[in-house]
Amino acid sequence: MQREGYERNDMKIINFGSLNIDKVYEVADFVIAQETISAKTLNIFAGGKGLNQSIAAARAGAEVMHVGAIGSDGDFLLELLKESGADISQIQKLDEESGHAIIQVTPAGQNCIIIYGGTNQMLTKEQIDQTLDLSEPQDIILLQNETNCLGYIMEQAVERRLRIALNPSPISETLLTLPLDKAEWLLLNEVEGKILAGMKKNAPVDNEGVLSALHEKYPNVRLVLTVGQDGVLYQDHMCRAAHPIFRVKTVDTTAAGDTFGGYFLACVSEGRDVSDCLRIASAAAALAVSRKGAVPSIPKRNEVAKFLGNF
Ligand code: RIB
């Protein structure tokens, strides 16, 4: 299946995404099996790959509609989304516990994360259908693997000629059963890339090899592979491209990938070319790693413009 060209440059981003309360612990090193450690600090932030990506895309200037569910403890998540300019009319408030994440951050700014789904796992087909009725052909349906019903959303999106952007994170057995070739974009990091390419997580680093293997497996998917310190690699059926990272002091890498993804899609929705999308998204991600937390670290469009000198 060859991809259609874009007939619109005002695509809406409809994000069926997680909304988490992030409990962030600063630790000297990650806890290991049989060990008990003390954290230096605890901070509570808004997060969730879904919410982070919606806020990034909205701060980049895109028209964003977020679809999801929060519990009685999640009002501040809604407020932040609203403040960033995202449409929150399709978010349900349930009498349950919101999703949350337990995040350890080391002095080098690296993190490891445990998520608890909570209300993120309570999307209903009725809510999905109702939202999709508000879409127009070619709108972008953004998905991550922190909510339920992904298979159903993908099926409905294809039927309605919507463009699916999937961030296959976290990878799970269920995710691997989805028709990933139906996505127009896969936005993934090097570990997710290796797993989808059928390699072992700890296989030696060969980012170009991972990209080639993914391209062979999903020839019609636009692949956006973020590779940490090595920047980002891109491949579609026409071209291969790359962008290095912008060097900054790393404070906390949480949500850097989400910031990249949200900015990248916002630029796509404006009709920008691939190299521009990669450059702007890389700059936004660099600003995010230089700050603490998930949502508080996501830059606004004017900050990215200032950093780049133009945007
Ligand atoms: O990508 C970072 C996010 O992953 C955090 O905000 C956390 O909530 C988890 O979903």
Side-chain angles (χ1 to χ4, degrees), residues 100-303:
H100 73 255
I102 293 176
I103 306 181
Q104 298 175 53
V105 179
T106 66
Q110 297 307 309
N111 68 57
C112 67
I113 305 179
I114 302 175
I115 55 166
Y116 171 72
T119 47
N120 292 318
Q121 294 296 324
M122 296 176 191
L123 264 60
T124 60
K125 289 190 174 172
E126 195 190 359
Q127 181 186 10
I128 293 162
D129 292 342
Q130 184 184 307
T131 306
L132 289 176
D133 285 346
L134 303 172
S135 67
E136 292 168 78
Q138 299 201 8
D139 276 344
I140 297 172
I141 299 300
L142 174 57
L143 303 170
Q144 315 78 26
N145 191 26
E146 289 187 343
T147 52
N148 61 326
C149 289
L150 289 197
Y152 181 72
I153 300 168
M154 289 179 84
E155 188 187 289
Q156 295 299 311
V158 169
E159 231 169 73
R160 294 172 192 246
R161 291 184 53 233
L162 300 166
R163 298 172 185 263
I164 299 168
L166 172 65
N167 169 215
S169 180
I171 299 241
S172 64
E173 291 292 321
T174 317
L175 179 111
L176 297 173
T177 65
L178 295 175
L180 302 189
D181 57 326
K182 298 275 186 279
E184 174 145 353
W185 297 271
L186 281 179
L187 300 142
L188 67 184
N189 68 22
E190 67 265 59
V191 178
E192 292 145 6
K194 279 186 196 171
I195 299 173
L196 291 191
M199 301 172 183
K200 292 221 156 54
K201 260 200 245 184
N202 54 1
V205 180
D206 173 14
N207 297 327
E208 296 281 347
V210 170
L211 190 67
S212 299
L214 289 172
H215 182 51
E216 203 169 306
K217 191 164 170 191
Y218 307 112
N220 294 307
V221 178
R222 301 175 201 268
L223 299 161
V224 186
L225 182 68
T226 51
V227 288
Q229 291 301 306
D230 293 325
V232 58
L233 303 176
Y234 175 90
Q235 172 86 60
D236 64 21
H237 59 286
M238 310 253 287
C239 75
R240 186 173 273 224
H243 200 286
I245 57 160
F246 290 93
R247 294 215 171 266
V248 292
K249 183 175 172 343
T250 302
V251 172
D252 180 356
T253 54
T254 310
D258 299 332
T259 302
F260 184 97
Y263 262 82
F264 179 86
L265 291 174
C267 291
V268 167
S269 76
E270 280 180 20
R272 288 178 183 265
D273 66 27
V274 167
S275 59
D276 225 13
C277 296
L278 296 177
R279 182 179 69 95
I280 294 166
S282 300
L287 287 169
V289 302
S290 69
R291 302 166 177 177
K292 278 191 189 177
V295 169
S297 75
I298 302 170
K300 302 207 167 70
R301 185 179 173 114
N302 63 343
E303 295 174 303

